[in-house]
Amino acid sequence: MLGNRSTKPRPIAQRTLKGPISCTGTGLHSGRKVMMQLLPAPPNHGIVFRRRDIAGPAGILKADYRNVRDTRLCSMLINEAGTRIGTVEHLMAALYGAEIDNLIVEIDADEVPVMDGSSAPFLFLFECAGTIEQAATRRAIEILAPLTIQDGEARLELLPGKGFSAEFEIDFQSDAIGRQRLNVTLDPAAFRQEIARARTFGFEHEVAQLRAMGLARGGSLDNAVVISDGRILNEDGLRFEDEFVRHKMLDLVGDLYLAGGPLLGHVRATRTGHRHNNAALHALLGNPQAWQWRDVTAETYRRTSGVRLAVQASE
């Protein structure tokens, strides 16, 4: 008589692109034309940026939270040679959504092209190139102990939990935004469907000041939602009623993917930005008792896959 045999869930393999694919676009802050090529990488390689205009090791930057040295309006990687690549968060969020672990990003400038201000164009590139499984198991970072980053009214908590979920609250003194809350199960499929298309946003009255600081020189209505006197200036309006908080969630996902793998747990964020996201990773991964590596399996997100988006829009 055969007894009941327990079977372990099959581990999910790491992924990379089937072949190279390229695009051109504009740097959000530099305003320069940027050419970017995405290349397959071997197992356990991770995400690595390579500046085509800088030869040798000085042009190599690993997509790692420890290399984020500037968080003004974006997450900027800077290596020990001083080489920079900015606005990496939208691409990193798309890599999370496509479940890509290994990639070489060749770029001829100091900033990832902004495309339309969201992660959707990058996901389209991945779909065009296709992805393949590799002979290595995908691993995630499981949160074992809660931690909190508090900075005035900004607060970010990393909490143990099944799968990956997050809640975000923003509150702007603008009639176009106001107070928005979002609570979502962030398995990769949900990210692609509910979050990836949300665009970056800004206020018209801040543009002159930002450009004087060397920022937002490539920003336009083609790649950002622009607000003036409580009105949306984009002719087509918003993609979601709560596009603002969804984009903040997109930034959060991209910044956290710089941990070196997807997170497993729950994130609770209030009025936070790139600096807080990066500080949370330093606090978590700097404490060996607060996390552990865990193989990703088909069961990893199953317990939360049936949870739908829960949104409370502007008040």
Side-chain angles (χ1 to χ4, degrees):
M1 179 178 177
L2 294 176
N4 292 330
R5 288 188 293 177
S6 61
T7 58
K8 290 184 179 180
R10 182 178 68 88
I12 291 176
Q14 293 178 21
R15 302 190 73 85
T16 190
L17 293 184
K18 285 184 179 178
I21 194 166
S22 60
C23 69
T24 58
T26 301
L28 176 62
H29 295 299
S30 68
R32 300 191 192 101
K33 183 178 179 181
V34 181
M35 180 174 179
M36 184 172 72
Q37 186 172 34
L38 307 173
L39 304 166
N44 300 314
H45 179 274
I47 311 300
V48 174
F49 290 84
R50 188 158 67 200
R51 286 280 297 272
R52 300 177 69 178
D53 55 331
I54 299 177
I60 305 298
L61 297 95
K62 187 171 179 60
D64 188 304
Y65 72 99
R66 290 165 293 192
N67 291 333
V68 174
R69 309 285 174 83
D70 190 342
T71 54
R72 294 178 303 160
L73 300 182
C74 74
S75 287
M76 179 177 289
L77 303 174
I78 305 178
N79 65 15
E80 292 188 358
T83 303
R84 299 168 174 246
I85 294 184
T87 320
V88 302
E89 59 273 9
H90 301 170
L91 176 60
M92 294 302 300
L95 290 167
Y96 168 81
E99 299 177 86
I100 293 175
D101 305 277
N102 305 301
L103 193 70
I104 297 169
V105 182
E106 286 195 344
I107 191 166
D108 66 354
D110 62 358
E111 189 175 11
V112 173
V114 67
M115 310 305 278
D116 73 346
S118 77
S119 289
F122 299 123
L123 285 170
F124 177 73
L125 286 174
F126 303 154
E127 290 169 5
C128 291
T131 62
I132 55 171
E133 293 187 347
Q134 299 178 285
T137 298
R138 185 164 217 240
R139 296 198 302 168
I141 295 166
E142 182 177 17
I143 300 169
L144 301 178
L147 67 87
T148 301
I149 301 295
Q150 185 79 45
D151 179 17
E153 293 184 330
R155 181 181 178 90
L156 192 148
E157 298 172 80
L158 298 182
L159 306 166
K162 301 295 183 183
F164 179 35
S165 59
E167 53 190 290
F168 212 121
E169 179 178 323
I170 61 174
D171 193 357
F172 284 82
Q173 298 302 311
S174 167
D175 291 340
I177 305 177
R179 186 179 184 186
Q180 298 184 355
R181 296 191 187 102
L182 182 68
N183 191 341
V184 59
T185 297
L186 279 167
D187 60 88
F191 172 83
R192 296 193 300 269
Q193 180 178 348
E194 306 286 0
I195 304 298
R197 294 179 60 246
R199 295 161 295 174
T200 192
F201 60 92
F203 296 90
E204 186 183 41
H205 70 269
E206 296 178 343
V207 171
Q209 179 183 357
L210 290 171
R211 288 180 175 170
M213 297 167 59
L215 301 169
R217 292 179 176 177
S220 73
L221 294 175
D222 294 326
N223 55 40
V225 177
V226 181
I227 304 150
S228 177
D229 296 326
R231 297 182 299 109
I232 305 298
L233 298 186
N234 305 65
E235 288 186 7
D236 295 337
L238 298 176
R239 293 177 176 176
F240 306 94
E241 181 183 357
D242 57 349
E243 186 168 0
F244 306 103
V245 71
R246 292 192 194 217
H247 184 78
K248 294 290 286 185
M249 186 75 79
L250 185 156
D251 282 345
L252 175 72
V253 171
D255 286 343
L256 294 183
Y257 202 45
L258 290 165
L263 290 190
L264 295 179
H266 183 70
V267 182
R268 186 179 295 140
T270 303
R271 304 182 184 186
T272 54
H274 300 296
R275 179 165 58 91
H276 310 100
N277 301 339
N278 187 252
L281 288 184
H282 277 276
L284 174 69
L285 300 177
N287 180 359
Q289 307 304 315
W291 66 280
Q292 68 179 5
W293 286 109
R294 176 178 159 191
D295 289 350
V296 177
T297 72
E299 301 294 322
T300 298
Y301 296 110
R302 182 165 295 177
R303 295 195 183 192
T304 54
S305 62
V307 178
R308 294 302 299 157
L309 199 70
V311 178
Q312 180 173 346
S314 309
E315 294 180 347

